[in-house]
Amino acid sequence: ETMATLLKEGLVEKTGTLRPRWFHEGVTLARREDGTPITVTQGDIRQIQMAKGAIRAGMDILLKEHGLSEKDIQHFYLSGGFGHYLNQHAAATMGLLASSWLPITTVLGNSSLEGALSILTNNEGIDTIKQIVATSHTIVLGNDPDFEETYISHLTF
């Protein structure tokens, strides 16, 4: 949310660079009780930028592996603690999620636990697990010839 706000307010350029006024000191978000500032620095923004680039590149590579594009996605699910607390609109503003996916996004919470319980308590659970295992394969993103270029293309905000 902070990153999205910094972008909306024009404090960070699309390249991920803080404007000159804040480049060296960072942007103060709040102050602790003792008065020391809590800041977002250029280094923090670079870390967010690299994580965002890797996540989006991973999504693109997975889509490519299955011959799909962003437009082909009909449902997008966010799960786990990260997905549960993620502000979807802020994530789209900074490019972490495709903005076209906002209307089709569902937050699931702890879906791994619910999924495990569903499989274990469903008569067809073992067959479902066997089907998933039989049709799954590992994709090593770093081995994909397009990963580096795709990663770099998603570094901008």
Side-chain angles (χ1 to χ4, degrees):
E1 291 177 32
T2 298
M3 190 70 237
T5 301
L6 292 173
L7 289 162
K8 283 180 184 177
E9 295 299 319
L11 303 180
V12 175
E13 298 173 8
K14 292 277 186 194
T15 61
T17 304
L18 274 167
R19 297 283 182 192
R21 177 178 170 195
W22 298 278
F23 186 81
H24 295 290
E25 302 295 323
V27 176
T28 300
L29 302 176
R31 295 199 177 271
R32 293 181 180 88
E33 286 184 25
D34 67 2
T36 58
I38 299 171
T39 60
V40 173
T41 66
Q42 184 63 60
D44 297 326
I45 292 169
R46 288 291 180 238
Q47 292 297 313
I48 293 167
Q49 192 173 24
M50 290 187 298
K52 184 210 54 125
I55 291 167
R56 282 303 301 268
M59 293 167 131
D60 283 1
I61 299 298
L62 290 173
L63 288 170
K64 180 188 81 168
E65 284 287 320
H66 293 283
L68 301 171
S69 72
E70 285 182 8
K71 292 180 263 177
D72 295 316
I73 302 303
Q74 296 175 355
H75 304 284
F76 186 77
Y77 300 100
L78 289 170
S79 62
F82 180 75
H84 180 74
Y85 293 104
L86 181 68
N87 178 313
Q88 298 165 39
H89 292 281
T93 296
M94 63 175 276
L96 182 62
L97 296 179
S99 58
S100 62
W101 291 355
L102 288 175
I104 60 168
T105 298
T106 303
V107 176
L108 298 176
N110 190 351
S111 60
S112 60
L113 178 59
E114 288 182 35
L117 286 172
S118 175
I119 293 292
L120 292 172
T121 58
N122 181 333
N123 289 337
E124 294 118 23
I126 297 300
D127 291 336
T128 302
I129 291 172
K130 287 179 182 178
Q131 181 183 9
I132 291 170
V133 169
T135 58
S136 297
H137 66 280
T138 301
I139 299 171
V140 179
L141 296 176
N143 291 346
D144 187 284
D146 297 326
F147 179 76
E148 186 174 334
E149 184 178 328
T150 305
Y151 169 75
I152 291 169
S153 75
H154 284 295
L155 288 178
T156 57
F157 294 105

